[in-house]
């Protein structure tokens, strides 16, 4: 394995300079699980300046972006390596970022780590294994537990509560009772953590192998209420007079379905799809209404849901492009329903494809994931309807370039035919021609020019 020679080389260099070096944390955990990747974490008693002297001339690349936290990054033979000075960081109970202090020994460094499964080390180049808190035992038992008392551990860094849920989602592990109780009691402490750090942990959780387990932990402990209160808000009261689907359980099922469909098609974890699945019904609590016959409706919940999704993702500091993609999927997730009644024209299909744009493959999976009915006949009918829609999209796409629906005349042709300069008139004409393209399909050049002249005359624009 190529990790061993590189790690041993690095260990010998540190030893020659009089310093310790240990493979540590997630790297040891993943090695024991048989899933060690190309990212390696080391700790050392060397300070950053000392580390730089040791790796200079050996590393193929060096970066110092984590220097203020005691970390120097290097690249060697395709391995991305981070070397961090023994840590003794903590929070002061008020600030939103850690107070970084250097430690002096391996034991103290390991005792400061989040969980026992991440508090193991292998010395280099001697390969001595250190596990003072029973990490191997917990790894075998698939248990998440803190090395120190969980109250102290979470007091040092409240983000660790969210990390516990994240590791549960990634590894399919269970949180042991004392740690779980501390998460319940200390959930409000998460407010001390910046939105960006919470967001990054949440992305890792939702992208995990079993995000539903992590999401349930967030809701059950009250952690979700600190940054995503809409999730617990999906637990709508159900009474015998106004029956409706359990929106919370339905949502978790939709997320699980999306994960299953990703894997079936060989997709990597797709955060945008999974977040859309999580948020697709977020507008239901605000739009719930009970009709005179006792039925429950959620009219326009996709519109309200899209607005709430945008606001929540903005508060969590997501990039605008990611927020826009998720929000658009939420807004479109109901568009398919009604297709099976035979009301869709080719024009409606074109608009479906055009409105989804590059998100169409994700919209396909989101819509299919949203079918959670236990009625097998209804589920089979919905699946058949969507199969028919996808086949119809493929047929029309074979005849037309649906991926890039554009007017049959471009802006230059519009300006030439109407004799107008660039400006609002060109934009309005372009939009009109695009609507015609969506409604009727491709027009030949003569028909497109005739339609443009008809539009211009109706608008009072004299064409040359």
């Amino acid at each position: 394995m190529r990790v061993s020679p590189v790690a041993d080389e690095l260990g010998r260099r540190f030893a020659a300079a009089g310093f310790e070096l240990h493979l540590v944390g997630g790297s040891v955990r993943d090695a024991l699980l048989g899933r060690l990747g190309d990212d390696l974490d080391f700790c050392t008693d060397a300070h950053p300046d000392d580390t730089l002297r040791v790796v200079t001339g050996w590393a193929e690349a060096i970066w110092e972006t984590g220097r203020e936290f005691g970390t120097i990054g290097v690249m060697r033979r395709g391995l991305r390596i981070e070397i961090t000075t023994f840590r003794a960081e903590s929070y002061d109970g008020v600030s939103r970022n850690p107070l970084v202090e250097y430690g002096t020994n391996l034991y103290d460094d390991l005792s400061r780590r989040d969980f026992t499964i991440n508090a193991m080390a292998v010395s280099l180049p001697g390969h001595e294994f250190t596990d003072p808190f029973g990490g191997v035992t917990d790894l075998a038992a698939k248990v998440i537990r803190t090395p120190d008392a969980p109250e102290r551990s979470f007091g040092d860094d409240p983000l660790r509560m969210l990390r516990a849920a994240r590791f549960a989602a990634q590894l399919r592990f269970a949180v042991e009772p004392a740690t779980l109780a501390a998460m319940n009691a200390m959930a409000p402490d998460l407010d001390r953590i910046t939105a960006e750090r919470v967001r990054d942990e949440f992305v890792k959780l939702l992208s995990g192998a079993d995000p539903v387990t992590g999401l349930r932990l967030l809701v059950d402990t009250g952690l979700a209420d600190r940054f995503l209160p809409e999730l617990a808000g999906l637990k709508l009261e159900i009474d015998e007079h106004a029956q409706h689907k359990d929106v919370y359980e339905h949502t978790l099922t939709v997320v699980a379905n999306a994960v299953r469909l990703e894997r079936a098609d060989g997709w990597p974890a797709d955060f945008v799809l999974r977040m859309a699945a999580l948020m697709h019904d977020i507008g239901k609590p605000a739009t719930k209404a009970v009709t005179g016959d006792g039925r429950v409706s959620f009219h326009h919940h996709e519109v309200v849901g899209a607005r709430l999704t945008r606001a929540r993702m903005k508060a969590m500091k997501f990039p605008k492009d990611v927020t826009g993609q998720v929000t658009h999927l939420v807004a479109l997730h109901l568009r398919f329903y009604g297709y099976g009644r035979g009301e869709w024209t080719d024009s409606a299909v074109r608009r479906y494809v055009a409105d989804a744009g590059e998100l169409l493959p994700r919209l396909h999976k989101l819509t299919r994931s949203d079918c959670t009915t236990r009625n097998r006949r209804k589920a089979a009918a919905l699946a058949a309807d969507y199969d028919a829609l996808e086949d119809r999209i493929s047929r029309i796409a074979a005849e037309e370039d649906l991926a890039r629906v554009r007017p049959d005349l471009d802006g230059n042709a519009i300006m030439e035919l109407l004799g107008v300069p660039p400006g609002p008139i060109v934009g309005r004409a372009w939009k009109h021609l695009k609507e015609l393209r969506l409604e009727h399909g491709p027009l030949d050049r003569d028909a497109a020019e005739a339609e443009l002249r008809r539009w211009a005359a109706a608008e009072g624009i004299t064409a040359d």
Side-chain angles (χ1 to χ4, degrees):
M1 186 172 67
R2 63 195 178 98
V3 170
S4 297
V6 171
D8 286 339
E9 283 177 20
L10 188 59
R12 286 191 289 271
R13 291 181 72 89
F14 272 84
F19 298 112
E20 300 176 32
L21 186 72
H22 307 272
L23 185 70
V24 72
S27 294
V28 176
R29 178 200 70 225
D30 288 346
L32 291 171
L33 290 173
R35 44 179 274 176
L36 183 61
D38 294 335
D39 294 335
L40 303 179
D41 293 326
F42 295 88
C43 67
T44 178
D45 56 343
H47 285 200
D49 287 343
D50 301 318
T51 295
L52 282 171
R53 284 192 289 270
V54 171
V55 300
T56 298
W58 177 83
E60 295 162 0
I62 298 174
W63 58 93
E64 301 181 45
T65 51
R67 185 187 180 112
E68 65 176 310
F69 300 107
T71 300
I72 299 297
V74 305
M75 185 73 74
R76 175 77 173 182
R77 296 181 193 170
L79 296 174
R80 183 182 175 92
I81 297 167
E82 291 194 344
I83 306 162
T84 303
T85 304
F86 288 152
R87 300 180 306 179
E89 66 181 31
S90 65
Y91 281 77
D92 60 10
V94 177
S95 64
R96 294 162 69 86
N97 288 301
L99 306 173
V100 179
E101 297 177 0
Y102 295 146
T104 59
N105 62 82
L106 177 62
Y107 179 89
D108 287 347
D109 179 274
L110 295 179
S111 71
R112 293 281 185 176
R113 293 184 177 264
D114 52 7
F115 306 110
T116 59
I117 58 174
N118 297 328
M120 300 176 283
V122 177
S123 65
L124 296 163
H127 296 184
E128 179 183 350
F129 182 63
T130 303
D131 179 20
F133 305 104
V136 167
T137 300
D138 287 343
L139 200 63
K142 298 185 176 182
V143 166
I144 297 169
R145 180 170 58 88
T146 57
D148 203 344
E151 294 80 8
R152 179 176 176 183
S153 180
F154 297 153
D156 279 350
D157 186 352
L159 189 67
R160 289 172 176 171
M161 294 184 285
L162 190 52
R163 284 170 63 84
R166 189 251 286 188
F167 282 120
Q170 286 184 331
L171 302 175
R172 294 191 172 98
F173 282 17
V175 180
E176 65 91 25
T179 302
L180 187 62
M183 291 167 65
N184 276 277
M186 301 180 67
D189 286 12
L190 190 65
D191 295 349
R192 293 197 272 117
I193 305 301
T194 61
E196 291 83 357
R197 294 184 72 211
V198 170
R199 175 202 64 206
D200 291 347
E201 282 298 326
F202 177 71
V203 169
K204 293 174 184 176
L205 183 157
L206 197 58
S207 302
D210 182 16
V212 170
T213 290
L215 293 168
R216 287 192 186 280
L217 273 170
L218 293 183
V219 172
D220 293 347
T221 58
L223 286 166
D225 292 338
R226 315 316 304 184
F227 68 95
L228 189 60
E230 295 86 356
L231 182 54
L234 292 174
K235 290 187 173 184
L236 299 179
E237 182 180 353
I238 300 177
D239 61 63
E240 60 181 344
H241 302 295
Q243 288 292 325
H244 59 82
K245 187 179 295 183
D246 184 326
V247 183
Y248 173 70
E249 291 297 334
H250 164 73
T251 295
L252 295 184
T253 301
V254 174
V255 173
N257 287 346
V259 173
R260 176 177 53 80
L261 291 177
E262 284 175 1
R263 291 174 183 156
D265 285 351
W267 285 24
D270 187 335
F271 173 78
V272 169
L273 172 61
R274 295 182 183 197
M275 187 65 173
L278 183 66
M279 305 296 281
H280 79 286
D281 276 350
I282 214 75
K284 280 191 171 179
T287 57
K288 179 183 176 183
V290 181
T291 62
D293 59 2
R295 295 184 180 183
V296 175
S297 66
F298 304 98
H299 291 309
H300 304 302
H301 75 267
E302 75 281 13
V303 177
V304 174
R307 176 173 54 80
L308 293 174
T309 297
R310 185 178 299 279
R312 179 53 55 197
M313 293 186 71
K314 181 179 180 181
M316 293 177 70
K317 308 294 186 182
F318 277 97
K320 289 183 178 180
D321 60 334
V322 175
T323 299
Q325 290 175 330
V326 174
T327 300
H328 197 45
L329 284 171
V330 171
L332 290 176
H333 84 273
L334 282 185
R335 182 75 69 84
F336 160 72
Y337 293 94
Y339 177 79
R341 295 195 295 266
E343 299 170 356
W344 281 35
T345 61
D346 282 356
S347 171
V349 175
R350 291 188 197 98
R351 290 180 187 278
Y352 188 77
V353 173
D355 288 348
E358 64 180 13
L359 295 173
L360 184 63
R362 286 168 166 147
L363 182 58
H364 287 333
K365 284 183 168 48
L366 176 60
T367 303
R368 290 184 182 275
S369 298
D370 196 22
C371 177
T372 63
T373 178
R374 295 179 183 178
N375 184 319
R376 292 187 178 182
R377 290 183 61 185
K378 184 177 179 181
L382 286 170
D385 285 346
Y386 209 85
D387 288 342
L389 175 59
E390 289 203 54
D391 289 344
R392 192 170 174 189
I393 289 172
S394 297
R395 176 182 60 77
I396 298 175
E399 302 167 358
E400 310 170 23
D401 189 2
L402 288 183
R404 291 186 296 274
V405 173
R406 295 289 187 274
D408 297 284
L409 300 174
D410 63 17
N412 290 328
I414 291 170
M415 288 187 287
E416 180 180 348
L417 285 166
L418 297 185
V420 297
I425 291 176
V426 179
R428 286 161 49 205
W430 190 93
K431 183 177 180 180
H432 172 72
L433 290 174
K434 181 177 179 180
E435 288 296 315
L436 288 176
R437 174 74 165 76
L438 289 169
E439 188 68 30
H440 302 293
L443 302 176
D444 61 33
R445 179 78 183 199
D446 290 342
E449 290 183 2
E451 288 290 351
L452 177 62
R453 289 191 171 95
R454 268 195 292 272
W455 173 84
E459 293 290 313
I461 301 167
T462 302
D464 291 345

